[in-house]
Amino acid sequence: MDQAAGPRAGEEGSARTRRRGRGYDREISAHTVRGIDPQDLARLRAVAHAYVAPPGHWEGIEPWWVFEFLELTGCAPIVLARAPRFNLRCEPDPADGRLHVRFTRHKKRGIPGEQDLPVVTLADPGAVWIPQLVARFRARPYSVQWVGQLLRDIGEAAGVACSARALRHTCGIRVGGDSRDPAVVQAWLNCSAVQAVQYVRVSSSRDPRVLALARDWGQQLSAPGASLSPGGAAAGPSAGT
């Protein structure tokens, strides 16, 4: 597999100009959360499982392992591509019955940290293939470009844009939706507190507490004199206290 080609001569400067022309701001974009829709994620996952690598490429690795691992952990692709450098490893813990993925989180600035992610139970199929994937990358590291190209190939076949960044955002939204706790998201992704809140915010539309704010929820607001506001009379006898 050829490594991803860089911009042609003269294109890099023009690309930077276009971004600046649209008001691109690196600091603001760092807190932009755009995950993959559940339907698109299902399509990507199906294509990843059916993907056949060209001969001689990804030997000893099922390509879908890479896709699933990045979506499950939310880690930066450089952690997988340079597994020995970041001490990426898998360790089963009989005490909690889970497989832990541990590594030194790649971070240019901000929170340093050793990551410890209890990714699957020991009965899950992932407890078998995840250690195989990690062992393969530790024995023969692939480049970040190879990982990125694989994800692009899967995305093109599925008709859905796919990248490690999109998978990380998708992971953050999933963790935010499941936990409803920015602190849990921050611990899982080793991101900033501001970023963690953004993941919870994006996932909040399916939170039962947010769904309860819909005007017709449970038809509890149909009584005469009931308030349509979340803190009105329909909220219960303690409303307004």
Side-chain angles (χ1 to χ4, degrees):
M1 181 183 297
D2 294 331
Q3 294 191 1
R8 292 189 294 271
E11 286 188 349
E12 182 178 359
S14 61
R16 289 177 177 172
T17 301
R18 287 195 299 271
R19 287 198 297 268
R20 291 176 183 144
R22 293 198 301 266
Y24 175 81
D25 187 290
R26 185 178 300 275
E27 294 297 326
I28 293 176
S29 68
H31 302 299
T32 299
V33 173
R34 292 181 180 176
I36 302 172
D37 291 337
Q39 297 86 350
D40 290 340
L41 184 62
R43 189 180 306 122
L44 284 167
R45 186 172 285 114
V47 169
H49 278 257
Y51 180 86
V52 178
H57 294 179
W58 299 105
E59 294 181 354
I61 293 176
E62 294 290 341
W64 65 266
W65 292 354
V66 177
F67 176 91
E68 295 276 0
F69 181 83
L70 293 176
E71 194 277 327
L72 182 63
T73 63
C75 75
I78 194 172
V79 174
L80 184 60
R82 299 183 184 178
R85 173 182 172 185
F86 294 99
N87 195 22
L88 178 63
R89 61 204 186 276
C90 294
E91 297 172 353
D93 189 340
D96 60 24
R98 286 167 173 76
L99 177 73
H100 289 245
V101 170
R102 297 181 170 117
F103 58 93
T104 303
R105 175 73 172 95
H106 172 67
K107 200 74 171 178
K108 293 181 179 178
R109 61 181 181 177
I111 310 169
E114 178 75 6
Q115 289 294 95
D116 184 350
L117 307 179
V119 289
V120 294
T121 65
L122 296 180
D124 189 274
V128 176
W129 66 258
I130 291 175
Q132 293 177 2
L133 172 67
V134 170
R136 187 67 180 84
F137 267 87
R138 289 186 67 93
R140 178 187 171 184
Y142 284 87
S143 70
V144 173
Q145 288 76 13
W146 273 55
V147 174
Q149 186 61 58
L150 173 64
L151 297 179
R152 284 191 293 273
D153 288 345
I154 292 172
E156 289 176 3
V160 179
C162 182
S163 66
R165 184 179 181 85
L167 292 176
R168 176 173 170 81
H169 287 328
T170 304
C171 173
I173 292 171
R174 171 177 54 80
V175 174
D178 290 346
S179 69
R180 311 306 311 155
D181 188 343
V184 173
V185 179
Q186 187 176 12
W188 193 276
L189 294 184
N190 193 33
C191 60
S192 69
V194 173
Q195 183 76 52
V197 169
Q198 296 304 313
Y199 286 121
V200 175
R201 174 186 61 80
V202 171
S203 67
S204 65
S205 63
R206 293 181 176 85
D207 182 348
R209 294 169 295 182
V210 175
L211 293 174
L213 301 179
R215 291 176 67 99
D216 297 326
W217 69 278
Q219 311 221 332
Q220 297 181 38
L221 301 181
S222 58
S227 170
L228 290 177
S229 67
S238 62
T241 59

